[in-house]
Amino acid sequence: MSMTKTLGEFIVECQSEYPDATGALSSLFSSIRLAAKVVNREINKAGLVDITGAAGAENVQGEQQQKLDIYANDKFKSALQARGEVCGIASEEEDKYVNFEGNSQDGDYVVLMDPLDGSSNIDVNVSVGTIFSIYRRVSAKGQPVTDEDFLQPGNKQVAAGYVIYGSSTMLVYTTGNGVNGFTYDPSLGVFCLSHPNMTTPEDGNIYSVNEGNYVHFPEGVKKYIKYCQEEDVATHRPYTSRYIGSLVSDFHRNLIKGGIYLYPTSSSHPNGKLRLLYECNPIAFLAEQAGGKAVASPGQRILDLKPGELHERTPFIVGSTKMVEKVEEFLAD
Ligand code: AHM
Ligand code: MG
């Protein structure tokens, strides 16, 4: 790992390439970096103190909130509010978007996030992640944020990324100019540039899908799964099946090694399970910036979907371009 460049230094360097940059986005990233460190510290204590398990409440989507979901939400929210660059947030753990009052009302950005994705994995020591998505506000400065600030299509994202709390902790992000990954060195308390200019293989041999839902899947997805399992030397099949059940971790692995992640429609999840604004848009932005592809259905780019409501779900197919195109073929048949 390169110890020569920290995330802070990298951000300042990138900012200096834009003479008109105000530093607001850099400051926003400092908030994310700080909250990530705090959440990372707490996750590493899971099992030692009373922070695992259900908090006893449900979020607006009827899902059990874990204690760490609430903890991560609070930490990211307060870090983002502290610097005045962000005028409001929307979170998978909040019923409605949150308007930041006071100085923050002049902030240029809104942030949408899933503060702790895959949190049901925490109790069993499996990797989880934070996913974030940053937009420029469209409402007037100095006024409270509005629906329109949050319901922008993913192609309007200014930046997006995730933190993966895995065997090491990493922060991976894009501002639309490629993807870079930083690994956290806990002894120094800094994220160091370890994965510059991340690109994903055009093709791969890993498929990631919850096969327990097989009977509920559309015919095209069933056929694609069978295709993955067939023997064919020329196309390196059968492929390898890998599914952690933690989107950030499954995506991160496939990004590096080449592969595909699917959470399709099914009879049990008619709109898919994953949230367009907090999960699919930021991951799709990263995937495309790394040379991959993300669609909701054949020909329907995730980033071009116009959101209708905050907690909207969408089917999600993301990964190596050739693999995504293959699924599109099966689904279009
Ligand atoms: P969450 O936001 O409630 O944690 O749910 C999202 C998670 C993803 O991380 C993961 O890919 C998916 O749900 C797994 O769902 P399933 O258990 O249905 O396969
Ligand atoms: Mg989630």
Side-chain angles (χ1 to χ4, degrees):
M1 175 166 78
S2 162
M3 298 301 291
T4 54
K5 201 174 288 178
T6 67
L7 175 58
E9 288 166 343
F10 184 84
I11 290 171
V12 169
E13 205 173 277
C14 293
Q15 188 190 319
S16 61
E17 288 167 19
Y18 299 93
D20 296 338
T22 60
L25 196 58
S26 304
S27 168
L28 198 169
F29 267 107
S30 300
S31 306
I32 291 176
R33 186 178 51 179
L34 176 63
K37 289 183 196 176
V38 175
V39 170
N40 177 62
R41 187 187 60 196
E42 211 62 16
I43 286 175
N44 284 329
K45 287 193 283 190
L48 288 175
V49 287
D50 185 27
I51 47 166
T52 57
E58 286 185 349
N59 65 18
V60 68
Q61 297 141 86
E63 296 157 340
Q64 270 284 336
Q65 283 184 311
Q66 307 292 309
K67 288 178 194 162
L68 275 168
D69 280 326
I70 297 170
Y71 181 86
N73 190 54
D74 288 348
K75 294 301 165 198
F76 274 92
K77 195 162 71 171
S78 51
L80 289 167
Q81 188 164 18
R83 292 171 195 251
E85 314 297 356
V86 178
C87 50
I89 59 125
S91 161
E92 194 175 300
E93 301 306 332
E94 303 273 350
D95 296 359
K96 297 184 178 142
Y97 60 77
V98 180
N99 178 55
F100 289 165
E101 289 172 354
N103 288 348
S104 302
Q105 207 91 108
D106 286 327
D108 282 322
Y109 297 101
V110 293
V111 177
L112 292 84
M113 62 180 177
D114 183 351
L116 208 57
D117 183 63
S119 52
S120 59
N121 282 318
I122 293 257
D123 293 1
V124 288
N125 215 348
V126 171
S127 305
V128 292
T130 296
I131 312 175
F132 59 90
S133 173
I134 303 170
Y135 294 81
R136 204 172 273 281
R137 74 185 300 174
V138 290
S139 59
K141 261 183 154 184
Q143 299 294 318
V145 286
T146 64
D147 277 342
E148 285 65 41
D149 291 318
F150 297 97
L151 299 180
Q152 301 187 53
N155 57 34
K156 297 275 190 225
Q157 288 173 103
V158 171
Y162 57 78
V163 184
I164 176 169
Y165 310 97
S167 43
S168 60
T169 295
M170 277 189 75
L171 192 152
V172 176
Y173 82 97
T174 181
T175 53
N177 194 15
V179 178
N180 290 284
F182 300 80
T183 302
Y184 186 58
D185 182 334
S187 64
L188 300 173
V190 289
F191 284 95
C192 296
L193 180 61
S194 52
H195 295 61
N197 295 320
M198 294 174 85
T199 53
T200 196
E202 197 185 6
D203 206 354
N205 69 351
I206 299 172
Y207 72 102
S208 309
V209 60
N210 186 342
E211 285 187 72
N213 292 330
Y214 185 87
V215 289
H216 301 300
F217 286 152
E219 274 314 299
V221 173
K222 286 183 181 168
K223 284 185 185 153
Y224 179 71
I225 292 173
K226 286 294 160 213
Y227 169 86
C228 294
Q229 296 169 344
E230 279 161 16
E231 187 156 37
D232 180 57
V233 177
T235 52
H236 308 292
R237 285 180 290 147
Y239 294 157
T240 295
S241 168
R242 291 281 182 272
Y243 190 73
I244 296 169
S246 197
L247 171 64
V248 171
S249 315
D250 279 310
F251 174 75
H252 184 72
R253 179 200 54 241
N254 293 357
L255 174 73
I256 291 172
K257 295 192 167 186
I260 187 163
Y261 173 97
L262 304 98
Y263 211 110
T265 56
S266 64
S267 45
S268 50
H269 295 92
N271 299 318
K273 175 185 179 189
L274 300 180
R275 268 64 40 143
L276 173 60
L277 294 176
Y278 314 120
E279 292 160 330
C280 304
N281 271 338
I283 295 290
F285 190 19
L286 288 158
E288 288 195 5
Q289 283 294 315
K293 189 169 183 184
V295 299
S297 57
Q300 178 56 66
R301 184 182 178 223
I302 285 286
L303 296 181
D304 289 338
L305 289 171
K306 174 77 184 95
E309 50 147 343
L310 275 185
H311 297 289
E312 184 169 324
R313 296 171 196 264
T314 176
F316 192 42
I317 302 163
V318 63
S320 295
T321 298
K322 284 194 170 163
M323 296 182 89
V324 173
E325 286 171 352
K326 195 59 161 175
V327 180
E328 289 181 284
E329 273 174 38
F330 278 100
L331 286 172
D333 265 355

